């Protein structure tokens, strides 16, 4: 487990969970900042791989990420505590909203507050996109574009956005194209 205690793991994911507005995708930027840049518990490459695994497995990305990182840093107990830490705040927020804030959701002040939060969530998702794109679409030296990854990215985006293809199909096709390019064409 290295220098990370189970308590530190739980508290870090509890903190992340409390500020994970916009769901797991909004929290990716926060996880990256805390776990890669500040704590150094996970490398940039590990974080990018983690996102691919977390996104391709069933369930919310935040929970999958917490479970994976928790297990990597603290085994089964770390996995359980990191997952509990990231889930507990959402549970408490939903419980609070349902029991006490629901009558006020049509209030102008509440709507204005959520407008600000929603705008910030878009910024968080864009930030996470840029961080992941840099580590995926640039070469390992970070100075030039990985043309293969960039071409797959563009094709996947076109299939999703213009072609209206199902994300599962796009993921499978992208993986197969990458394998074919490497093992059939040697690129």
């Amino acid at each position: 487990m290295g220098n990370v205690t189970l308590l530190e793991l739980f508290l870090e994911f509890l903190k992340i969970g409390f500020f994970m507005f916009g769901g797991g995708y909004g929290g990716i930027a926060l996880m990256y900042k805390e776990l890669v840049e500040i704590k150094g518990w996970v490398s940039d490459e590990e974080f990018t791989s983690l996102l691919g695994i977390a996104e391709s497995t069933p369930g919310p990305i935040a929970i999958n990420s917490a479970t994976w990182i928790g297990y990597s840093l603290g085994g089964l107990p770390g996995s359980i505590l990191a997952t509990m830490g990231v889930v507990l705040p959402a549970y408490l927020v939903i419980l609070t909203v349902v029991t006490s804030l629901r009558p006020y959701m049509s209030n102008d002040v509440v709507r204005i507050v959520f407008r600000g939060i929603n705008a910030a969530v878009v910024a968080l998702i864009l930030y996470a996109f840029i961080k992941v794109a840099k580590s995926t679409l640039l070469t390992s030296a970070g100075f030039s574009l990985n043309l293969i990854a960039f071409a797959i990215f563009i094709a996947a985006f076109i299939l999703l956005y213009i072609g209206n293809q199902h994300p599962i199909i796009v993921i499978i096709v992208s993986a197969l194209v990458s394998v074919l390019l490497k093992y059939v064409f040697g690129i």
Side-chain angles (χ1 to χ4, degrees), residues 12-35:
E12 186 63 32
F13 277 96
L14 186 68
K15 177 175 75 174
I16 289 169
F18 267 113
F19 293 97
M20 199 172 281
F21 295 108
Y25 291 105
I28 291 171
L30 179 58
M31 278 197 266
Y32 183 88
K33 181 63 114 180
E34 290 291 325
L35 304 175

Side-chain angles (χ1 to χ4, degrees), residues 7-187:
L7 180 60
E8 286 176 310
L9 198 56
F10 174 75
L11 292 176
E12 186 63 32
F13 277 96
L14 186 68
K15 177 175 75 174
I16 289 169
F18 267 113
F19 293 97
M20 199 172 281
F21 295 108
Y25 291 105
I28 291 171
L30 179 58
M31 278 197 266
Y32 183 88
K33 181 63 114 180
E34 290 291 325
L35 304 175
V36 176
E37 292 182 356
I38 295 173
K39 298 286 186 186
W41 291 351
V42 180
S43 73
D44 195 48
E45 294 78 25
E46 289 169 326
F47 190 81
T48 301
S49 296
L50 152 81
L51 288 180
I53 292 167
E55 184 59 29
S56 64
T57 55
I61 192 167
I63 295 171
N64 292 348
S65 300
T67 304
W68 180 270
I69 292 171
Y71 187 80
S72 297
L73 297 173
L76 184 59
S79 178
I80 292 168
L81 289 172
T83 303
M84 285 176 51
V86 84
V87 169
L88 185 60
Y91 173 77
L92 295 175
V93 167
I94 290 171
L95 186 62
T96 301
V97 168
V98 167
T99 59
S100 60
L101 291 180
R102 191 167 185 192
Y104 304 104
M105 290 307 285
S106 61
N107 180 295
D108 281 344
V109 173
V110 173
R111 284 197 339 251
I112 291 168
V113 166
F114 277 104
R115 179 181 65 189
I117 290 171
N118 290 340
V121 166
V122 173
L124 290 170
I125 292 169
L126 181 59
Y127 175 82
F129 166 77
I130 290 168
K131 288 293 187 178
V132 172
K134 280 175 52 180
S135 63
T136 302
L137 302 178
L138 297 179
T139 62
S140 57
F143 298 116
S144 63
L145 194 61
N146 180 331
L147 293 176
I148 305 273
F150 186 73
I152 292 171
F153 162 75
I154 294 297
F157 182 79
I158 290 169
L159 287 171
L160 288 166
Y161 192 73
I162 297 171
N164 201 26
Q165 292 297 312
H166 194 284
I168 293 172
I169 300 298
V170 173
I171 290 169
I172 292 169
V173 168
S174 297
L176 289 175
V177 166
S178 185
V179 168
L180 284 172
L181 288 173
K182 176 65 177 172
Y183 294 108
V184 175
F185 298 104
I187 53 174

